[in-house]
Amino acid sequence: MRPASLFSVEGKIAVVTGASSGLGQGAASLLAAQGALVVAIARRADALADWSQQGPGETAILAADLSDRSCLADVAAQAAKPFGAPDILINAAGVNTRRPADEMTDADWDVTQNLNVAAPFFLAKSMVPGMQNKGWGRIINFASLQSRRAFANGISYGASKGAVEQMTRAMAETWSAHGITANALAPGFFHTELTAPVFADPELAARNAAQTCIGRNGQVRDMDGPMMFFCSSASDYVTGQVLFVDGGYTAK
């Protein structure tokens, strides 16, 4: 295989959750620009429409609240209508309630686990049969620094992201024999809506940048190479892995 085609997603059908902003939207735009047929899913229909109108490529949009577990099978079915059964599923949707452990409510705990853990699993479960029929598929989950480190006010988020790391391994063990790889990207500190409270404190943002080996916080484009690797045939023999895209934050 020529190097240029090794990382190709031309003609692949990709579903991206959390595509209305941040790293999810970055992934959706990247894949569309690289020739994939992209179905972008998020809760905010207006933000999805604005993104789609910018013309990043051949795309479709689907508004859905993925924290509602009862709708996930229907969402998966709707996602297959524009272009067919997906080849690639990117689970980028997530929430961080940033609530101290002693103040954690049932509702905050449940919405975090439903969106960050249950949605990726049940969407994948619904889409895997189509991938099995093709003998090829890619599942990319979003882990976190908190998959392995404890941060203040992060008990529900950290628990969910620890689960994502292990769920990714379990997905690989279950489905990789059918040509479906499952891997996770673990971003460091990127300035997105989800991390807005962190970047609202310039001193904290600077300390996070100083903690990296590279000396800066992440930019959305820093995810492009790792994303293309996991979405393409370049990663055919890589599954069940978590790649930290954190500028070396976890190396120090």
Side-chain angles (χ1 to χ4, degrees), residues 39-54:
V39 180
I41 302 177
R43 182 172 49 84
R44 295 176 298 176
D46 55 345
L48 287 174
D50 289 344
W51 169 79
S52 182
Q53 289 167 7
Q54 293 173 11

Side-chain angles (χ1 to χ4, degrees), residues 119-223:
F121 171 70
F122 285 105
L123 287 177
K125 178 176 177 286
S126 294
M127 295 180 186
V128 155
M131 297 178 185
Q132 288 175 322
N133 288 339
K134 301 178 185 185
W136 196 96
R138 295 288 183 266
I139 299 168
I140 297 94
N141 298 320
F142 267 64
S144 165
L145 297 176
Q146 293 192 62
S147 294
R148 298 184 186 175
R149 290 195 173 189
F151 289 175
N153 301 328
I155 190 164
S156 62
Y157 185 78
S160 73
K161 292 302 181 177
V164 166
E165 180 170 2
Q166 182 54 31
M167 179 177 68
T168 300
R169 296 190 189 101
M171 286 177 167
E173 191 280 332
T174 303
W175 294 319
S176 291
H178 302 279
I180 304 165
T181 63
N183 293 289
L185 293 169
F189 285 99
F190 286 70
H191 195 171
T192 66
E193 287 187 15
L194 194 64
T195 59
V198 175
F199 283 86
D201 182 342
E203 291 186 3
L204 177 57
R207 287 200 303 272
N208 289 332
Q211 175 61 31
T212 70
C213 297
I214 290 177
R216 66 171 175 83
N217 290 310
Q219 301 172 10
V220 173
R221 61 178 173 78
D222 293 320
M223 296 292 289

